[in-house]
Amino acid sequence: MDDRVRRHAEILVDHCTDVSADDNVLVRAPTAAADLVEALYERLGERGARPTTEWRHRRAARAYRRALDAEDVRTADHRLAAMAETDVVILIKGGENAAEGSDVDPEKSAAASRAKRPILEERLDTRWVITQHPTPADAQRAELSTRAWEDFVYDAVDRDWDAQRRFQSRLVDVLEPAETVRIVSGDDTDLRLSVDGMGAFNDAGEDNMPGGEVATVPVVDSAEGRIAFDLPVTRNGREIRGGRLTFEDGEVVDHAAERNEAVLTALLETDDGARRLGELGIGMNRGIDEFTDNLLFDEKMGDTVHVALGDAMAECVPDDRELNESAVHADMLVDVSERSRIEVDSEVVQENGTFVFE
């Protein structure tokens, strides 16, 4: 086994989730990530924890959803009960076919998202992390060789996360007292948000590995303007390309896409909260310096901004403020490396990808 796989497991268990002997641990992984699961079990055994694995099989999931009637979609109570007894969740990405599930009815996928919401809510109460195991399929999506993709993933994961946190704290200090944020990029993006009273989250590789962003939550009815997305958004195996959204009073009032617009429509129609924003994220990881068509990495780049439709990051919303709730949380990314700026309370904090404090 590649030593970097064991190092990846060590980071997930020690840095991201701080597993102890008292913890029930769920590892959810595709079969292509068997090496990382094996390394995790070694590390979890050293800690004395109690792990179990839920294997993801996209072909089986596709077959099930295609056969299932939409009215029969419901919450899996046994999974919900198991999640309620779980302390730590390690979610591993790694595909064999990124388009698996692309021929599933989007309405069924939306119904499945709604049915999974109680399980998601239980999972968010655990110590959880999402990460990536490098596979040839994802290397192909990134237009890299398998070896180059492995190097890219492990270089992004094995970093000085304490130093990254200190760097990102400078933007946290700007956002926490802020009232407004404006994002301008090219001719198609000019979005204004209120973040008045909201907290700022410093992601230094706990919930996401790799980490490398600072995030906050827009006031639920505040989004005004338009935004165009530079990278595709993949939902259930379908790529939404050239997506555009127009907001009024915090809600999407118009949308379009160059490819798979129907998938974007189905996403927005999942529930009432799916038309509102639950996150504004600003990438700050300078160790990620190229797009790979993989949002877990691309959204952390220092030249990117992303907003998420749907469920809000609860840790940024005070108890006395409205929390946008939805069965979806769909990140969408804007390249801000050229003809772009981010303004906070009318002051430019980043221009053409460079922060004023860099």
Side-chain angles (χ1 to χ4, degrees):
M1 183 185 296
D2 189 329
D3 286 342
R4 296 177 299 179
V5 179
R6 288 193 170 89
R7 175 59 180 156
H8 192 177
E10 177 186 345
I11 292 168
L12 293 171
V13 171
D14 297 354
H15 172 76
C16 301
T17 56
D18 191 21
V19 175
S20 73
D22 295 328
D23 287 330
N24 295 321
V25 181
L26 171 64
V27 178
R28 186 168 185 243
T31 53
D35 281 354
L36 179 54
V37 174
E38 179 183 348
L40 280 168
Y41 268 56
E42 289 178 353
R43 193 71 179 174
L44 292 168
E46 293 170 358
R47 289 291 186 103
R50 297 174 295 275
T52 187
T53 300
E54 180 182 311
W55 292 105
R56 295 183 61 198
H57 196 290
R58 288 185 175 180
R59 286 169 53 196
R62 168 194 173 273
Y64 175 73
R65 288 191 182 179
R66 283 175 58 86
L68 187 68
D69 289 333
E71 57 267 26
D72 290 332
V73 177
R74 61 189 184 277
T75 301
D77 291 337
H78 63 298
R79 289 184 60 198
L80 178 60
M83 189 64 75
E85 297 298 323
T86 299
D87 303 298
V88 174
V89 180
I90 300 174
L91 304 171
I92 303 170
K93 299 173 62 177
E96 294 179 348
N97 180 359
E100 201 73 69
S102 60
D103 52 358
V104 175
D105 183 347
E107 292 185 6
K108 289 185 181 180
S109 297
S113 294
R114 291 191 292 270
K116 289 178 182 176
R117 180 170 174 77
I119 301 171
L120 171 64
E121 290 175 345
E122 283 289 348
R123 194 258 287 173
L124 292 175
D125 285 336
T126 70
R127 304 195 306 280
W128 59 272
V129 63
I130 299 173
T131 195
Q132 177 82 42
H133 181 71
T135 66
D138 293 314
Q140 188 173 29
R141 287 180 62 197
E143 298 184 355
L144 295 171
S145 69
T146 301
R147 294 298 186 194
W149 174 238
E150 290 173 351
D151 291 344
F152 179 88
V153 170
Y154 293 127
D155 287 348
V157 164
D158 195 0
R159 300 185 60 78
D160 184 341
W161 293 110
D162 289 336
Q164 186 70 33
R165 181 182 298 280
R166 289 193 296 272
F167 172 59
Q168 292 172 180
S169 67
R170 302 183 71 174
L171 183 58
V172 171
D173 292 342
V174 172
L175 284 176
E176 284 201 322
E179 296 183 2
T180 62
V181 177
R182 182 184 182 193
I183 303 162
V184 179
S185 183
D187 298 324
D188 299 318
T189 293
D190 189 346
L191 185 67
R192 298 167 301 282
L193 310 166
S194 171
V195 294
D196 188 20
M198 298 299 184
F201 176 66
N202 189 340
D203 169 24
E206 282 86 19
D207 293 346
N208 282 196
M209 179 50 68
E213 68 173 283
V214 171
T216 187
V217 173
V219 175
V220 71
D221 60 354
S222 69
E224 295 282 347
R226 63 192 187 280
I227 188 167
F229 303 106
D230 295 303
L231 261 70
V233 179
T234 302
R235 300 294 297 179
N236 301 303
R238 290 187 175 95
E239 281 192 346
I240 304 168
R241 288 188 176 269
R244 288 174 168 77
L245 303 174
T246 301
F247 288 87
E248 292 180 6
D249 297 325
E251 187 173 9
V252 175
V253 295
D254 192 24
H255 69 279
E258 296 170 5
R259 180 179 179 184
N260 280 326
E261 184 173 315
V263 180
L264 178 58
T265 301
L267 170 65
L268 291 166
E269 293 178 350
T270 301
D271 50 39
D272 291 343
R275 288 184 171 270
R276 298 182 182 274
L277 294 179
E279 178 189 353
L280 165 67
I282 300 173
M284 297 190 70
N285 189 335
R286 293 301 187 194
I288 301 174
D289 58 2
E290 61 180 302
F291 289 111
T292 60
D293 198 12
N294 186 311
L295 196 64
L296 183 65
F297 295 84
D298 294 341
E299 70 174 5
K300 311 304 190 313
M301 285 182 62
D303 298 339
T304 64
V305 169
H306 60 277
V307 296
L309 290 167
D311 211 42
M313 298 175 60
E315 56 265 54
C316 294
V317 183
D319 292 340
D320 60 346
R321 302 296 293 275
E322 183 178 359
L323 178 75
N324 193 52
E325 295 183 309
S326 175
V328 299
H329 181 94
D331 292 303
M332 300 181 178
L333 185 143
V334 181
D335 181 352
V336 292
S337 61
E338 297 179 350
R339 299 178 60 212
S340 303
R341 68 184 185 276
I342 302 171
E343 298 177 6
V344 176
D345 292 338
S346 301
E347 297 288 334
V348 175
V349 299
Q350 188 199 75
E351 188 166 12
N352 297 333
T354 301
F355 293 100
V356 293
F357 48 77
E358 287 188 283

